[in-house]
Amino acid sequence: MSYKDLPIEAFKESLLQVDRIEADKIFESCYLVDNDLKRVENLTMMTLEEIGLGWENGEYSLSQIYMSGVICQEIMEKYIQKFDVVIKNDYKIGIAVLEDHHALGKRIVYSILRSKGYDVIDLGQGLSIDTIVNETINHKLDFLIISTLMLSSALHVKTVVKKLRQKKANVKIIAGGAPFRLDAKLWQKVNVDADGENATDVPRIIEKLANGGV
Amino acid sequence: MNSMERVLATLNHKEPDRVPIFHLLSTYGAKELGIPIKEYFSKASHVVEAQLRMRKKYSNDCIYTFFHAPLENQAFGGEVLFKEDGPPNTGEPIIQSIDEIMSLEVPRINESIPLQRVLKATNLLKKSVGNEVPIIGVVMSPYALPVMQMGFEKYLELLYFRPKAFNQLMEINKDFCIQWANAQLKAGATAICYFNPLASPTIIERKKYLETGHKISKEIISQIKGPTATHLASGITLPVIDDIVATGSLVLGFSAKDDILTLKDKARKNICLLGNLNGIDMVNWDRKKARTEVTKLIKKAAPGGGFILSDNHGEMPIQVSEEILLEISETVKSVGKYPIKVE
């Protein structure tokens, strides 16, 4: 089986139907072909990207992205343990919700990153600007992902960036959430390194930034 | 025509003198009075004064008695977090575990100070404006309120995997929602805006919505003793417009991401459209951009009536300048005169 022959349609269908058992079965059969984690990583990422794209097009819902992310994370973590797979910890990645207590967006990105095998530090939600700045420095993060719900919180991301730059923190910052979806230029206005408008794109953005891209 | 006549003609899918303007201004009132947001919402008289001033200033065709989203959750015992530069938000969820739903009680409206404040403001505004302008009250759909009551993640678990507890919570929320809507109508509200972002396939897939939230909305709307507008708070509406019509709602708040011409075609004579300026993007607009956007919208959505110009979320961000609101109103008053000139 080449990566082109991955059972993406069947896996996607099981995720959209919130069918954990079927998703697990497909995942396992895919993994057991040659015990290649790359293969299942591709399966989950390509499927989640299709679902993410479907959300952009109005075909799928936010709840379906969330459920799909959670199922993929659960399966991936099970296999990481079961087959003693090494977690990717090349970069220190942290994720936080600035000011707001709604954590769904953060959870979706967290699940997607975990599904891809990244180690992610969940900094929490309802956090103040200073808490996020301090946590970023304390953990020596390479990547900080900030999720927001309200426009006022999204605008406060600019202060987070400013304070981190003042403290010479060598961290790449990605911001996302509803306000960033409704204003395509907002990420530039608040001076972050990338727009995390679509959760399923975040792993790709991280790799791009890590390789010097914007 | 006065505002009420203009809006009634629109609801009857007739062309009034011009397109009605609904600037949905809630937190914006604090800016109008030049006081902190927390202080603004602490007295009904502040809201009354600001609504009357803003109606005149922006030629607004409605009075909007919506205080803020966490209000109903507050009546259930939730915390409201005030900010200096944005609408209040909910604090930690009041329902920490799904088992707690079984002991949740319907709040008593006459014992809730924040709810009583809204009713007082509604009553005073009604005394002031009479039947000249519609007063729009607000309720959260019982189907959407749990996002604040228990957090989105836990609510999705409830919705997908715990039907018994979901139904229990819906019974409590339905009871409260009907009472709260009717209390506002009794206090002088002309109509109720029923916020239901979870009806949008942006958030919940239509199949699940039809199995759950749609049935609830039909039940609720039939028991609200006045006209209702359903607002999906910037979620797309096109795939569910027929479902919203079936609930008995007269107005649909649509999204900046909806295809207006297709939506207009489907809505014709069935439901009046309210929207769909992008309030978030509006922060970046200059007067020229405001004029262009409003003109474009009017030419697509206004012909034949059945259209009220508004933002797409149900609340104007405080960061939008007064100059832009004034430009929007001026454009509506010139370009939005019926019959609409379409090139």
Side-chain angles (χ1 to χ4, degrees), chain A residues 73 91-100 102-114 118-128 131-133 135-136 139-148 160 171-177 196 198-200 202-203 206, chain B residues 153:
Chain A
Q73 182 197 341
Y91 328 117
K92 276 203 152 184
I93 304 169
I95 187 163
V97 184
L98 177 60
E99 294 170 352
D100 305 314
H102 287 277
L104 191 75
K106 182 193 73 172
R107 179 65 204 272
I108 292 172
V109 177
Y110 181 87
S111 298
I112 287 167
L113 287 170
R114 290 292 297 161
Y118 286 107
D119 197 10
V120 186
I121 304 168
D122 184 353
L123 302 174
Q125 57 265 6
L127 304 179
S128 68
T131 305
I132 291 185
V133 169
E135 290 288 304
T136 302
H139 287 287
K140 296 191 173 89
L141 295 180
D142 298 303
F143 291 94
L144 169 66
I145 302 159
I146 306 175
S147 171
T148 60
V160 176
V171 58
K172 298 283 184 194
I173 305 162
I174 302 162
N198 187 337
T200 54
V202 172
I206 286 178
Chain B
E153 293 170 67

Side-chain angles (χ1 to χ4, degrees), chain B residues 122-136:
Chain B
T122 307
N123 191 258
L124 290 170
L125 283 160
K126 179 69 180 174
K127 279 179 184 158
S128 175
V129 301
N131 291 324
E132 201 176 299
V133 53
I135 297 173
I136 313 299

Side-chain angles (χ1 to χ4, degrees), chain B residues 13-226:
Chain B
H13 300 273
K14 290 179 180 156
E15 293 190 344
D17 56 343
R18 66 159 170 83
V19 169
I21 306 163
F22 274 24
H23 286 309
L24 299 176
L25 307 169
S26 51
T27 307
Y28 212 91
K31 185 172 169 177
E32 176 65 32
L33 298 192
I35 59 175
I37 292 166
K38 189 173 182 182
E39 186 187 338
Y40 174 68
F41 287 120
S42 69
K43 284 186 180 169
S45 58
H46 290 156
V47 175
V48 172
E49 188 187 344
Q51 283 294 321
L52 293 174
R53 273 206 222 170
M54 294 189 293
R55 162 165 156 70
K56 199 172 164 194
K57 189 175 188 175
Y58 303 117
S59 309
N60 209 2
D61 286 309
C62 76
I63 295 284
Y64 195 43
T65 54
F66 177 53
F67 274 40
H68 47 75
L71 180 96
E72 293 177 32
N73 190 48
Q74 190 182 18
F76 276 90
E79 187 189 7
V80 178
L81 303 175
F82 285 93
K83 292 180 167 190
E84 286 173 12
D85 56 357
N89 206 347
T90 43
E92 288 290 330
I94 50 163
I95 301 169
Q96 292 288 333
S97 88
I98 288 175
D99 296 338
E100 287 172 23
I101 291 170
M102 297 303 164
S103 55
L104 195 69
E105 288 182 5
V106 180
R108 290 187 184 158
I109 291 167
N110 58 3
E111 289 176 5
S112 164
I113 293 168
L115 298 183
Q116 285 300 316
R117 212 175 278 144
V118 175
L119 295 179
K120 188 177 173 189
T122 307
N123 191 258
L124 290 170
L125 283 160
K126 179 69 180 174
K127 279 179 184 158
S128 175
V129 301
N131 291 324
E132 201 176 299
V133 53
I135 297 173
I136 313 299
V138 164
V139 294
M140 290 294 145
S141 160
Y143 189 58
L145 189 60
V147 173
M148 287 183 273
Q149 290 174 311
M150 59 195 304
F152 218 146
E153 293 170 67
K154 206 163 272 155
Y155 180 45
L156 288 177
E157 186 192 332
L158 184 82
L159 179 62
Y160 283 88
F161 304 115
R162 303 284 293 271
K164 195 178 162 200
F166 169 78
N167 289 334
Q168 171 73 15
L169 182 58
M170 289 305 108
E171 286 307 312
I172 294 164
N173 286 356
K174 275 193 285 186
D175 189 348
F176 173 71
C177 181
I178 294 163
Q179 284 188 49
W180 178 224
N182 288 332
Q184 290 179 75
L185 289 167
K186 199 175 166 194
T190 318
I192 297 295
C193 183
Y194 177 79
F195 271 105
N196 196 10
L198 272 67
S200 171
T202 303
I203 309 290
I204 301 286
E205 67 276 17
R206 181 168 175 261
K207 183 173 171 274
K208 191 74 187 168
Y209 165 68
L210 289 179
E211 287 165 11
T212 52
H214 182 58
K215 290 176 185 162
I216 293 161
S217 295
K218 270 174 116 169
E219 204 182 323
I220 293 282
I221 287 168
S222 70
Q223 291 182 64
I224 294 177
K225 295 170 184 164

Side-chain angles (χ1 to χ4, degrees), chain A residues 55 63 153 156 182-183 189, chain B residues 83 85 89 160 202 278 284:
Chain A
W55 186 50
S63 63
S153 313
H156 292 167
L182 290 161
D183 179 356
K189 211 152 90 179
Chain B
K83 292 180 167 190
D85 56 357
N89 206 347
Y160 283 88
T202 303
N278 183 339
N284 308 316

